[in-house]
């Protein structure tokens, strides 16, 4: 029969076989998640959203605390309304994030109206930041694994709900 194993990154580099009653079973492939396993945001997401608001010169930009409150509400709403970053509704990830980011601003400061031009500038900044390697860092354990001789014989896969664009632009 086939054996599937969930392994922590530090242990993978040290030993890539599992004991069994018939001896060791060589692991030939592993599948990893992206965010939190291979990469992490370079700074807190809320800080990136706040910095983008300052960069885009939004009128009366939300504070980081207001942005955090707005993000929690907006992200939860969008995940419930349109699961899998819009995949269930057949909308693009970009469309899903555009609506989510608009709601972040609305929930952060409901009384502040942002022009379409200002929002477009802000959204582009946020979306490009999180779609580029500049927004992320490769985690040390992941780097060690990917550079190890043991991993060179493995088929590595990604199993993730991370947006597809990350596969093309962010992965190490």
């Amino acid at each position: 029969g086939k054996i599937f194993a969930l392994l922590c990154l530090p242990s993978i580099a040290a030993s890539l076989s599992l004991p069994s009653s018939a001896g060791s079973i060589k692991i030939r492939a592993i599948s990893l998640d992206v965010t939190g396993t291979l990469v992490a945001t370079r700074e807190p997401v809320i800080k990136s959203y706040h910095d983008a608001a300052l960069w885009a010169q939004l009128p009366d930009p939300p504070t980081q605390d207001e942005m955090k409150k707005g993000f929690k509400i907006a992200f939860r709403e969008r995940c419930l309304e349109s699961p899998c970053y819009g995949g269930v509704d057949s909308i693009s990830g970009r469309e899903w994030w555009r609506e989510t980011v608009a709601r972040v601003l609305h929930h952060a400061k409901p009384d502040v109206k942002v022009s379409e031009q200002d929002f477009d500038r802000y959204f582009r900044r946020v979306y490009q930041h999180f779609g580029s390697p500049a927004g992320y860092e490769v985690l040390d354990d992941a780097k060690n694994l990917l550079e190890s001789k043991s991993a060179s014989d493995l088929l590595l896969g990604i199993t993730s709900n991370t947006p597809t664009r990350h596969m093309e632009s962010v992965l190490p």
Side-chain angles (χ1 to χ4, degrees):
K2 296 181 181 178
I3 296 178
F4 296 95
L6 297 175
L7 304 169
C8 296
L9 285 175
S11 65
I12 293 173
S15 171
L16 292 173
S17 63
L18 295 173
S20 76
S21 58
S24 289
I25 299 172
K26 182 175 167 60
I27 296 174
R28 294 182 297 224
I30 58 172
S31 184
L32 305 167
D33 187 22
V34 177
T35 307
T37 303
L38 295 175
V39 299
T41 56
R42 286 195 190 275
E43 61 188 17
V45 170
I46 300 308
K47 181 177 182 335
S48 298
Y49 271 61
H50 181 257
D51 289 351
L54 297 177
W55 176 89
Q57 299 178 338
L58 294 182
D60 193 16
T63 65
Q64 286 191 42
D65 286 341
E66 291 169 328
M67 198 71 84
K68 183 175 183 177
K69 174 187 155 246
F71 185 89
K72 283 183 176 184
I73 295 168
F75 190 78
R76 185 173 194 283
E77 283 177 353
R78 293 296 289 144
C79 287
L80 292 172
E81 291 170 10
S82 183
C84 301
Y85 302 99
V88 171
D89 298 329
S90 298
I91 63 171
S92 72
R94 188 178 204 288
E95 291 174 84
W96 191 91
W97 278 110
R98 184 176 177 81
E99 176 62 24
T100 303
V101 170
R103 289 188 191 192
V104 168
L105 291 178
H106 170 75
H107 290 303
K109 283 218 160 175
D111 298 332
V112 175
K113 302 299 178 215
V114 177
S115 72
E116 189 172 335
Q117 183 179 3
D118 286 344
F119 177 74
D120 287 345
R121 185 174 53 251
Y122 173 68
F123 176 71
R124 269 193 312 275
R125 182 70 168 204
V126 169
Y127 195 74
Q128 287 172 355
H129 174 75
F130 288 108
S132 75
Y136 299 87
E137 62 185 351
V138 178
L139 297 172
D140 289 340
D141 285 346
K143 185 176 180 181
N144 293 340
L145 168 68
L146 296 173
E147 292 174 351
S148 75
K149 179 169 177 359
S150 300
S152 65
D153 295 333
L154 289 173
L155 177 61
L156 298 176
I158 299 295
T159 305
S160 183
N161 66 347
T162 298
T164 305
R165 68 192 181 119
H166 289 158
M167 306 306 172
E168 298 163 355
S169 63
V170 174
L171 286 178

